[in-house]
Amino acid sequence: MAESLSARRPRSGVADRASRPLVVGSGIAGLYVALRCRELGLRPTIVTKARLEESNTRYAQGGIAAAIGPDDSPARHLADTVRAGAGLVDRAAAKVLTSEAPARIADLVRYGVPFDTVEGKIALGREAAHTRSRLLHAGGDATGYSIEETLKQRLIAEGVEARERTTLRALRPGSRDGPVAVLSHADGSGVEVESPRPVVLATGGIGSLYLQSSNPSVATGEGMAIAFRAGALVSDMEFVQFHPTAFAREGAPRFLVTEAMRGEGAVLRNEAGERFLVGQHPDAELAPRDVVARAIQREIQRSAIRWVYLDATGLPRDRLFARFPSVTSFLLAHGIDPSREMIPVAPVAHYMVGGVTTDLEGRTSIPGLFAVGEVAATGVHGANRLGSNSLVEGLVFGERVARRLRAPVAGAPREPARTLLVPALDGEGRPEEMRVLGEIRAALWEEVGIERDAEGLGEALERFERIGRQVEPAGPTVLAGPVANAALTSSLVARAALERTESRGAHYRRDYPEPRPAWRQHLGLRRRPAARGGR
Ligand SMILES: Cc1cc2nc3c(=O)[nH]c(=O)nc-3n(C[C@H](O)[C@H](O)[C@H](O)COP(=O)(O)OP(=O)(O)OC[C@H]3O[C@@H](n4cnc5c(N)ncnc54)[C@H](O)[C@@H]3O)c2cc1C
């Protein structure tokens, strides 16, 4: 998979590169940044490694959070976000998110996102850990699909240059304007080296690196590996959120059964039919996601079956099918009528809290490199994301990135006091074998999953680094492939999880089951600069 840069075709320089940002990724964050750049008078190009619409965004179900209800306020939304984040939320970032969310929702309405309404007013749903109904949804549980399609159509109508099946492969040192992006094309037409210009990473999360995941296959954390290799600071990599309830029938896709169904009254039962969360947490099934995911995992380990049951049979059938059309039609297609039968569910890797560290305007530690959406770590989610805060994050910080691109001013995120310098691996540049991805995915799930300990994390880290040493390119003129990127991103998650000797939010250590005050801080990771040369 490694490719040589000797075949490169330099792109012709452009007079005003600063006004021509390259946006990488076409989920909510990338599409919105590109659109807003266009509206602000810039000439963005968007590239994406699959079809434009393929992204985590497209599969989002429950909703998008904003304090627009009569009994709600940004201050309440802020308080809920801070509470969910288990002591690590960056308050300034969360304040930005919650106070600017309503204006960004107005943008979506202006673009034509068909949010569901009741008697002419936008309908608002509820999810765990939100103290008010504040989730806007569209097409019942097709919120992400509606947003993705609307933004995509708008992007096409605005004539924004969009290149599908075009993958960011590397970032090289550039100029004041930004880094040099190296792109490759799925049609085999070779590698393209861009002139230095602002680059916006909107490449999403890492979910599909895990064996069990709710994410589509494009969510491989490549943006994080590429940025880290280029010298960017990353942080909060240990905080991977697991969603408690994905469909769990052998051979079927791990389709998410949205938390909003529990918000509507569905309950969880074990093999014996008991509501096992009652008594474990005051909010029972609406306890924070990490609590519910761990409780289910333990039930599964205790039982003879590989799932527990989500029981929605107590909900009115009409309401169930009207509110959750995607989930119910998926279940019917797999032989389950949720108004009559219980749904087998199990936890899956779902959302990456950490990523490329940014300030409040998306600036990373590399001049001209921005990050936004799930690939970014603004600190807004702390140690655990409040459900439905991620779609809106892409909009709120996307707007800030677009405005900063129009009026560039240098700036960089603050480095966490605790930042590890990670030695660069001496790559042997061996050819990549795709089967190794299976080994990485299994090790992440088993050892860097819902519950972790030092022994498993140490073994996993060693394994990821061994794979990395074999396949990392041996020199600066060769490009890393998907296995090298997967090994690198996985090693960053394992290293951070090993270093954080406590349990907090989405990160749970069997050997350190409590939070520790000394760890009430973010953990950064940065590549140790090579002694000479380097890539
Ligand atoms: C099943 C499911 C349900 C969810 N439900 C909700 C919900 O109800 N509410 C909520 O707020 N959040 C939800 N989430 C989370 C939310 O969908 C994501 O966090 C959010 O959509 C991320 O948006 P993004 O634009 O950052 O990334 P994505 O939407 O994942 O987009 C990333 C883009 O980058 C592209 N890409 C990746 N690497 C490269 C590369 N090297 N070169 C070029 N392109 C690249 C991908 O192809 C993709 O187009 C859900 C997630 C899933 C999977």
Side-chain angles (χ1 to χ4, degrees):
M1 265 295 158
E3 274 164 79
S4 167
L5 274 184
S6 56
R8 70 193 185 180
R9 293 188 276 121
R11 262 174 87 71
S12 56
V14 281
D16 183 9
R17 293 180 195 136
S19 71
R20 304 197 50 161
L22 179 74
V23 180
V24 187
S26 56
I28 191 169
L31 291 177
Y32 184 78
V33 168
L35 264 173
R36 288 295 293 136
C37 282
R38 180 66 161 214
E39 290 179 341
L40 292 170
L42 304 176
R43 285 179 296 156
T45 299
I46 187 165
V47 297
T48 192
K49 70 176 172 185
R51 302 281 307 278
L52 264 179
E53 60 273 19
E54 193 52 353
S55 58
N56 269 359
T57 300
R58 180 184 171 83
Y59 300 94
Q61 298 175 351
I64 180 164
I68 63 166
D71 62 345
D72 203 359
S73 67
R76 273 191 183 279
H77 189 183
L78 172 66
D80 290 350
T81 301
V82 169
R83 200 174 318 109
L88 270 196
V89 168
D90 179 318
R91 219 182 154 82
K95 200 162 178 199
V96 162
L97 181 84
T98 52
S99 60
E100 295 179 14
R104 300 291 73 81
I105 293 294
D107 287 345
L108 290 188
V109 172
R110 173 168 65 87
Y111 289 143
V113 174
F115 287 116
D116 296 333
T117 55
V118 179
E119 293 168 2
K121 290 201 177 121
I122 287 183
L124 295 173
R126 182 107 173 235
E127 241 177 17
H130 286 274
T131 55
R132 289 289 184 275
S133 294
R134 64 167 70 99
L135 311 189
L136 295 91
H137 44 87
D141 55 4
T143 311
Y145 178 84
S146 302
I147 294 174
E148 182 76 21
E149 280 302 311
T150 306
L151 293 181
K152 182 183 118 180
Q153 294 309 334
R154 185 74 184 218
L155 189 94
I156 293 168
E158 290 284 337
V160 174
E161 184 189 356
R163 292 195 255 153
E164 296 185 312
R165 302 182 199 286
T166 301
T167 302
L168 176 73
R169 299 290 301 277
L171 292 167
R172 305 280 195 234
S175 69
R176 248 177 6 148
D177 292 327
V180 167
V182 182
L183 306 173
S184 72
H185 304 278
D187 64 8
S189 62
V191 170
E192 194 174 353
V193 181
E194 295 272 313
S195 304
R197 57 164 153 165
V199 174
V200 181
L201 278 181
T203 47
I206 71 164
S208 80
L209 287 182
Y210 277 83
L211 191 61
Q212 308 295 351
S213 165
S214 64
N215 291 194
S217 61
V218 290
T220 54
E222 270 170 29
M224 296 168 200
I226 290 168
F228 181 82
R229 214 180 264 117
L233 174 69
V234 301
S235 49
D236 298 334
M237 293 296 284
E238 62 276 37
F239 298 116
V240 178
Q241 191 175 66
F242 296 87
H243 196 289
T245 55
F247 187 59
R249 176 163 288 171
E250 289 301 323
R254 287 286 183 262
F255 192 87
L256 206 73
V257 184
T258 172
E259 187 165 298
M261 203 179 268
R262 279 175 280 134
E264 293 283 337
V267 297
L268 286 160
R269 298 188 188 281
N270 61 15
E271 203 183 359
E274 297 152 351
R275 281 184 66 190
F276 55 92
L277 268 150
V278 175
Q280 284 198 39
H281 193 280
D283 296 330
E285 284 85 0
L286 289 180
R289 281 185 181 171
D290 58 295
V291 174
V292 180
R294 276 198 305 280
I296 295 178
Q297 184 80 345
R298 287 172 189 167
E299 282 298 324
I300 288 174
Q301 282 160 357
R302 265 199 289 272
S303 94
I305 50 176
R306 310 285 303 152
W307 53 80
V308 296
Y309 293 100
L310 183 65
D311 181 0
T313 58
L315 274 61
R317 185 182 162 84
D318 293 354
R319 171 99 190 115
L320 186 61
F321 280 72
R323 174 69 179 88
F324 305 108
S326 312
V327 176
T328 47
S329 57
F330 173 90
L331 292 171
L332 285 178
H334 287 81
I336 290 185
D337 176 346
S339 67
R340 294 164 196 271
E341 294 162 77
M342 297 196 293
I343 311 160
V345 292
V348 285
H350 184 57
Y351 180 82
M352 181 49 158
V353 172
V356 184
T357 319
T358 71
D359 68 3
L360 296 182
E361 287 164 332
R363 289 175 293 202
T364 72
S365 59
I366 296 181
L369 178 68
F370 294 75
V372 63
E374 197 169 333
V375 68
T378 58
V380 76
H381 306 301
N384 210 358
R385 174 189 66 124
L386 182 65
S388 294
N389 264 358
S390 42
L391 289 173
V392 73
E393 173 189 16
L395 301 177
V396 166
F397 291 97
E399 172 73 11
R400 290 177 150 247
V401 167
R403 287 183 182 277
R404 186 43 69 215
L405 283 165
R406 193 184 55 164
V409 174
R414 251 182 317 158
E415 180 149 335
R418 206 152 179 163
T419 294
L420 301 181
L421 283 181
V422 180
L425 295 174
D426 288 326
E428 297 166 19
R430 290 198 217 163
E432 291 195 348
E433 292 176 51
M434 286 305 125
R435 65 167 180 79
V436 178
L437 283 176
E439 193 185 321
I440 292 173
R441 297 179 72 217
L444 264 182
W445 179 250
E446 293 298 331
E447 309 297 355
V448 199
I450 298 169
E451 296 193 341
R452 306 148 173 198
D453 61 29
E455 194 185 339
L457 289 169
E459 280 172 19
L461 178 58
E462 215 177 289
R463 182 183 294 212
F464 302 142
E465 291 195 337
R466 173 177 52 73
I467 296 170
R469 260 190 301 279
Q470 291 167 353
V471 296
E472 271 290 314
T477 59
V478 185
L479 294 172
V483 176
N485 286 335
L488 178 52
T489 301
S490 303
S491 73
L492 297 175
V493 179
R495 185 179 287 275
L498 186 59
E499 182 73 10
R500 184 175 285 277
T501 47
E502 66 157 357
S503 291
R504 183 183 294 277
H507 169 69
Y508 184 84
R509 289 275 305 251
R510 272 184 221 104
D511 45 354
Y512 296 93
E514 299 297 329
R516 297 168 73 195
W519 265 112
R520 198 168 170 175
Q521 56 177 315
H522 296 276
L523 174 62
L525 299 172
R526 192 195 273 286
R527 181 172 163 266
R528 177 177 291 152
R532 59 191 156 78
R535 21 172 222 280

